[in-house]
């Protein structure tokens, strides 16, 4: 049922198939649920799934999970998540130090989980400050050179003081100034076509005059269909009047000052000098300047900046020590309670004289350890799971010295120790 080898010998004589069926409970978000979902199987409403294995008399086997046919390997993957077989050499994860620490943490629950979460949060910031302080100290010369280049660029940009989109506006303004005579003639002719000749020549009334004449002719018409057109013509007259006024204003304000053109061209040259060095356009230059300012803030290698970082490092270290000490204390308390509970379970597993001890000791920091933390005058390693090394010791019988569990226990005893731990941790 858990994906092991199928043997035809398991089929009863005279029968065609053997069936093995099991119902397994899986969590909502754990690995077991993902295995079931990935296989296309369905989890029942009560959170369980049925696994079925059939073995035919000829040795062929089939596997089903949640009503779907699946490869046998899927049952094997599922069993790894929901079943622990405790036999000799079947379960050796207890030998790993990290697993022994996890046993304590699971048993302690929130008493360890809460300060450990706070410890990890502070540790993350503490490591970031350590890294930044180290980089600023070790790369001070290189960073100072980079800072000088950034400052030079910012000074250049600030001296020109470009505005967003200014290069586009200047291009349009230069086109206007360079073609001012052509634009004036064009606008003047358009104004005459709309508003009529400036000298009031009746032979050149313009569109506005012609529309006005049409209104005068239709307003007194006896046919209502013609009179109904008058409001629309008046609306057109109003629109033409507005356009004529704008064209007249455009002509009046059109500047043909050669000095202005020269000034605008000089400003455009200043902007082009920046866009050649820092970005494709003025908006890109401004973005470069903003990024440069942010980089300069993080590249401050002055004594004041380094001192501020060192102060923050020390403040975080104090917080980290407090959280680590709380974690260690909670683990020590849980270790004593867990050892007693496991020893009690061992008495029911034919190990009546065995006694389990769990030690919680701070791990000394090695020379040059970047994550060293001073606690009570001793340098300890501040790892992601705290500063503690946890070890399970087994006293096999009365008078025997406590030894690491993998040294004191035989293969069968180790399996029973692991089973006792699983029983005690059932609530977790």
């Amino acid at each position: 049922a858990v994906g092991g080898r199928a043997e035809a010998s398991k089929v009863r004589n005279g029968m065609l198939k053997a069936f093995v069926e099991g119902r397994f409970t899986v969590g909502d978000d754990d690995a077991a649920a993902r295995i079931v979902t990935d296989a296309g199987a369905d989890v029942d409403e009560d959170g369980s799934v049925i696994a079925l294995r059939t073995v035919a008399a000829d040795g062929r086997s089939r596997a089903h999970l949640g009503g779907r046919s699946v490869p046998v390997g899927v049952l094997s993957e599922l069993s790894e998540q929901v079943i622990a077989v405790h036999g000799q050499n079947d379960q050796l994860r207890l030998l790993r130090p990290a697993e022994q620490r996890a046993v304590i943490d699971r048993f302690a629950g929130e008493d360890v989980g809460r300060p450990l979460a706070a410890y990890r949060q502070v540790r993350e910031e503490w490591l970031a400050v350590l890294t930044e302080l180290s980089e600023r100290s070790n790369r001070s010369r290189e960073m100072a050179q980079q800072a000088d280049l950034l400052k030079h660029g910012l000074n250049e940009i600030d001296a020109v003081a470009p505005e967003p989109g200014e290069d586009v506006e200047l291009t349009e303004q230069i086109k206007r100034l360079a073609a001012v005579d052509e634009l004036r003639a064009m606008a003047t002719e358009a104004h005459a076509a709309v508003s009529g000749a400036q000298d009031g020549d009746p032979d050149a009334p313009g569109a506005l005059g012609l529309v006005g004449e049409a209104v005068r002719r239709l307003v007194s018409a006896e046919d209502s269909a013609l009179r109904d057109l008058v409001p629309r013509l008046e609306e057109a007259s109003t629109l033409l009047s507005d356009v004529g006024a704008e064209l007249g204003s455009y002509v009046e304000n059109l500047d043909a000052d050669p000095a202005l053109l020269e000034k605008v061209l000089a400003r455009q040259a200043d902007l082009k000098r920046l866009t050649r060095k820092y970005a494709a356009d003025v908006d890109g230059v401004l973005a470069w300047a903003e990024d440069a300012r942010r980089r300069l803030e993080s590249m401050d290698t002055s004594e004041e900046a380094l001192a501020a970082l060192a102060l923050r490092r020390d403040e975080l270290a104090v917080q980290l020590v407090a959280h680590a000490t709380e974690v260690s204390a909670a683990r020590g308390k849980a270790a004593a309670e867990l050892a007693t509970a496991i020893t009690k379970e061992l008495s029911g597993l034919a190990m009546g004289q065995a006694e389990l001890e769990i030690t919680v000791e701070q791990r000394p920091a090695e020379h040059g350890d970047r994550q060293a933390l001073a606690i009570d005058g001793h340098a300890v390693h501040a790892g992601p799971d705290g500063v503690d090394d946890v070890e399970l010791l087994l006293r096999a019988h009365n008078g025997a010295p406590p030894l690491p569990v993998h040294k004191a226990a035989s293969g069968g005893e180790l399996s029973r120790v692991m089973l006792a731990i699983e029983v005690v941790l059932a609530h977790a």
Side-chain angles (χ1 to χ4, degrees):
V2 295
R5 180 182 176 185
E7 299 179 15
S9 62
K10 301 298 183 184
V11 182
R12 180 180 299 176
N13 289 337
M15 303 299 291
L16 297 177
K17 296 179 180 179
F19 297 85
V20 181
E21 187 177 73
R23 181 185 294 273
F24 299 97
T25 301
V26 298
D28 294 333
D29 302 318
D30 63 10
R34 287 195 296 272
I35 291 171
V36 174
T37 303
D38 292 345
D42 296 322
V43 178
D44 292 342
E45 293 182 357
D46 62 357
S48 67
V49 64
I50 294 178
L52 173 67
R53 185 81 178 277
T54 63
V55 183
D58 60 5
R60 289 181 299 177
S61 75
R62 297 185 63 185
H64 292 78
L65 183 64
R68 297 293 296 273
S69 177
V70 298
V72 174
V74 173
L75 296 187
S76 179
E77 292 177 9
L78 178 64
S79 70
E80 290 180 1
Q81 302 299 326
V82 298
I83 294 179
V85 178
H86 296 287
Q88 284 190 316
N89 300 323
D90 282 333
Q91 182 54 274
L92 299 180
R93 60 192 174 97
L94 184 59
L95 305 183
R96 298 195 296 264
E99 184 65 27
Q100 297 181 3
R101 183 172 53 233
V103 166
I104 291 290
D105 293 352
R106 284 174 57 191
F107 181 76
E110 279 301 302
D111 290 343
V112 167
R114 179 183 46 77
L116 183 58
Y119 166 87
R120 286 170 174 163
Q121 183 177 0
V122 174
R123 177 179 178 271
E124 183 176 354
E125 185 180 354
W126 177 66
L127 289 178
V129 172
L130 285 179
T131 300
E132 187 174 356
L133 183 59
S134 175
E135 287 184 353
R136 290 197 191 188
S137 301
N138 297 334
R139 298 176 53 226
S140 59
R141 178 177 300 177
E142 177 185 349
M143 293 176 70
Q145 292 173 347
Q146 294 178 2
D148 286 342
L149 291 175
L150 292 175
K151 289 176 182 177
H152 175 74
L154 286 173
N155 289 336
E156 259 192 320
I157 295 172
D158 291 341
V160 177
E163 297 291 334
E166 185 180 0
D167 48 346
V168 177
E169 296 176 4
L170 286 180
T171 300
E172 293 298 322
Q173 188 177 3
I174 290 170
K175 288 180 180 178
R176 249 190 337 266
L177 290 172
V180 64
D181 294 334
E182 181 182 350
L183 293 173
R184 177 179 285 108
M186 189 183 302
T188 300
E189 292 171 1
H191 182 265
V194 171
S195 302
Q198 290 186 353
D199 56 7
D201 185 355
D203 294 331
L208 189 58
L210 294 174
V211 171
E213 179 62 25
V215 170
R216 286 191 295 273
R217 291 180 180 276
L218 296 181
V219 73
S220 59
E222 296 182 359
D223 191 337
S224 61
L226 292 177
R227 290 197 304 274
D228 289 344
L229 296 174
V230 170
R232 293 163 64 187
L233 287 170
E234 289 176 339
E235 184 179 349
S237 177
T238 300
L239 181 61
L240 287 170
S241 179
D242 291 343
V243 172
E246 290 185 21
L247 285 170
S249 177
Y250 178 87
V251 172
E252 290 179 3
N253 294 328
L254 200 59
D255 198 339
D257 185 1
L260 178 60
L261 176 59
E262 184 177 348
K263 180 180 178 181
V264 173
L265 287 172
R267 177 65 177 175
Q268 186 185 52
D270 290 339
L271 296 180
K272 284 184 176 180
R273 189 170 63 253
L274 297 179
T275 55
R276 279 196 301 268
K277 295 179 65 174
Y278 302 106
D281 54 27
V282 166
D283 289 347
V285 170
L286 293 173
W288 183 94
E290 184 65 26
D291 180 66
R293 290 188 177 91
R294 283 196 298 267
R295 291 169 62 189
L296 275 175
E297 290 177 0
S298 65
M299 294 171 63
D300 188 355
T301 57
S302 64
E303 291 185 4
E304 293 80 4
L306 295 178
L309 277 175
L311 178 61
R312 182 56 181 161
R313 175 201 60 195
D314 296 341
E315 291 173 348
L316 291 170
V318 171
Q319 298 178 33
L320 201 59
V321 167
H323 293 312
T325 302
E326 187 177 356
V327 170
S328 298
R331 281 177 174 155
K333 179 182 177 182
E337 296 175 357
L338 180 60
T340 300
I342 294 173
T343 298
K344 182 178 179 181
E345 289 293 335
L346 289 176
S347 65
L349 295 170
M351 295 179 67
Q353 293 188 359
E355 182 181 355
L356 193 78
E357 296 181 12
I358 303 177
T359 62
V360 179
E361 297 180 350
Q362 295 175 344
R363 183 192 306 177
E366 297 180 359
H367 178 69
D369 187 350
R370 178 177 170 273
Q371 300 177 24
L373 187 68
I375 299 182
D376 296 331
H378 301 286
V380 299
H381 176 74
D385 296 307
V387 299
D388 305 313
D389 276 336
V390 175
E391 188 171 26
L392 273 64
L393 304 176
L394 181 67
R395 195 188 304 271
H397 54 81
N398 292 333
L403 296 174
V405 66
H406 63 281
K407 293 182 179 180
S410 65
E413 290 172 336
L414 182 61
S415 300
R416 282 178 275 171
V417 171
M418 192 65 203
L419 178 56
I421 291 175
E422 292 278 354
V423 172
V424 173
L425 291 183
H427 73 281

